[in-house]
Amino acid sequence: MRNAGIAVIWLAAAVAGGQDQPVYKSKEEELPQRVAPQPVPFSHKVHAEAGSACKDCHTTAATKERAGLPQADRCMLCHRTVKADSPAVQELAKYQREGKRIAWVRVYRVPEFVFFSHANHGKAGEACETCHGPVATRDEVAKEVSTTMTSCMNCHAAREVSNDCHFCHSLGY
Ligand code: HEC
Ligand code: HEC
Ligand code: HEC
Ligand code: HEC
Ligand code: HEC
């Protein structure tokens, strides 16, 4: 799969070669894209109103490639006491007790042959909302902002960041 992806990129790179502005335009995504219900109900709106900051739960969103998704241990820091008798919270407590991972249904994903890291985007001052929409006002997260190649490139062009193919795609060297 990975090799096939790289071969396609080489081919497209050869076609695009020598031009300053990429001529390729991705097919537009239909947004918002909803995902299947989460294994444990979770509302960003409720938690933002309770005063939680994004980085309280997505602990590596500013420092690492991946933002990270919290597991029951982190939730239970509060829920040992907050709403401890709610059925949803009791289910959460069960995950923790049994040491089971919560298999959160993913919303944003780029293919494996694309390199994306949160660290440098955060350092450059890009806000979560620019790429993920007004998450703090949502009970359910749906994909609201496009992650096609053209949408990445449009921002890079606007910020005068490189749009060389190898910036986002490993060409195998
Ligand atoms: C910083 C503390 C804190 C953390 C961490 C936290 N919560 Fe909450 N949670 C709250 C507060 C406060 C409420 C609102 C309680 C209320 O309505 O009075 C809440 C409400 C909820 C509710 C609604 C309960 C009900 O029946 O009304 C669920 C479900 C929930 N949280 C799940 C989670 C999950 C899952 C995580 C981990 C991913 C998590 N929480 C992490 C503080 C926290
Ligand atoms: C109390 C913990 C908590 C806080 C605070 C929190 N999140 Fe989340 N976030 C979660 C959990 C749990 C999920 C997975 C379930 C879901 O998608 O709703 C998630 C999912 C997401 C996703 C989708 C990830 C994917 O699958 O691609 C985005 C984007 C996101 N959060 C952004 C934010 C932003 C932006 C903030 C601050 C405004 C924030 N989160 C605050 C717990 C939290
Ligand atoms: C420049 C755009 C951009 C910004 C800014 C950004 N994200 Fe993301 N985020 C993405 C993309 C693209 C993905 C999918 C990455 C992948 O599949 O590897 C993603 C994935 C995620 C995920 C899924 C799980 C993971 O570990 O990566 C969460 C959670 C998330 N982002 C939260 C945040 C939060 C919180 C902030 C702000 C601190 C933020 N993002 C800022 C583009 C962005
Ligand atoms: C909202 C604007 C914005 C969007 C959208 C965006 N980027 Fe960026 N990107 C930047 C900025 C600004 C930098 C420069 C960061 C720096 O100075 O290091 C950057 C740098 C990068 C880098 C080099 C730094 C690093 O992290 O290694 C890569 C790779 C990259 N972006 C990939 C992507 C991909 C892939 C997407 C789409 C999924 C994307 N970007 C979407 C603004 C954006
Ligand atoms: C700013 C980051 C970025 C740059 C620069 C970039 N790409 Fe992409 N590319 C992506 C992303 C993100 C995807 C995945 C899009 C998706 O998920 O739909 C992608 C996908 C692709 C694909 C698969 C087909 C498709 O549209 O999904 C090919 C082929 C490709 N890129 C070639 C190139 C070539 C050739 C260049 C140089 C002209 C280039 N890319 C530059 C981010 C980038």
Side-chain angles (χ1 to χ4, degrees):
M1 241 349 265
R2 196 176 155 76
N3 285 338
I6 288 166
V8 171
I9 289 161
W10 268 115
L11 192 68
V15 173
Q19 286 168 353
D20 291 342
Q21 286 302 313
V23 285
Y24 179 84
K25 200 164 181 311
S26 314
K27 193 164 161 277
E28 254 177 64
E29 286 183 284
E30 263 182 56
L31 300 168
Q33 280 169 28
R34 309 205 169 280
V35 298
Q38 297 294 344
V40 178
F42 178 80
S43 163
H44 278 81
K45 184 163 183 272
V46 166
H47 289 85
E49 281 166 2
S52 293
C54 311
K55 284 169 205 158
D56 293 345
C57 292
H58 304 297
T59 51
T60 52
T63 52
K64 297 246 167 77
E65 183 169 331
R66 303 209 164 267
L69 289 165
Q71 285 296 324
D73 280 353
R74 181 163 296 273
C75 312
M76 290 306 289
L77 290 176
C78 295
H79 285 293
R80 209 178 311 285
T81 52
V82 176
K83 287 269 176 175
D85 53 0
S86 139
V89 169
Q90 281 172 5
E91 201 181 315
L92 203 54
K94 192 161 167 248
Y95 272 96
Q96 189 194 34
R97 231 177 16 252
E98 295 174 357
K100 258 174 55 186
R101 281 187 70 75
I102 307 174
W104 299 114
V105 182
R106 289 293 308 276
V107 182
Y108 286 85
R109 264 238 198 268
V110 292
E112 228 183 275
F113 59 85
V114 175
F115 178 70
F116 176 84
S117 168
H118 279 88
N120 286 320
H121 288 92
K123 252 186 252 156
E126 300 298 349
C128 314
E129 289 71 19
T130 309
C131 297
H132 297 303
V135 174
T137 67
R138 300 289 188 243
D139 283 319
E140 280 172 24
V141 182
K143 185 176 188 182
E144 298 188 50
V145 180
S146 178
T147 56
T148 60
M149 180 162 125
T150 297
S151 67
C152 307
M153 285 181 148
N154 285 346
C155 183
H156 281 202
R159 308 283 200 269
E160 299 184 336
V161 174
S162 169
N163 265 330
D164 287 350
C165 312
H166 64 75
F167 209 55
C168 302
H169 300 295
S170 160
L171 296 179
Y173 56 83

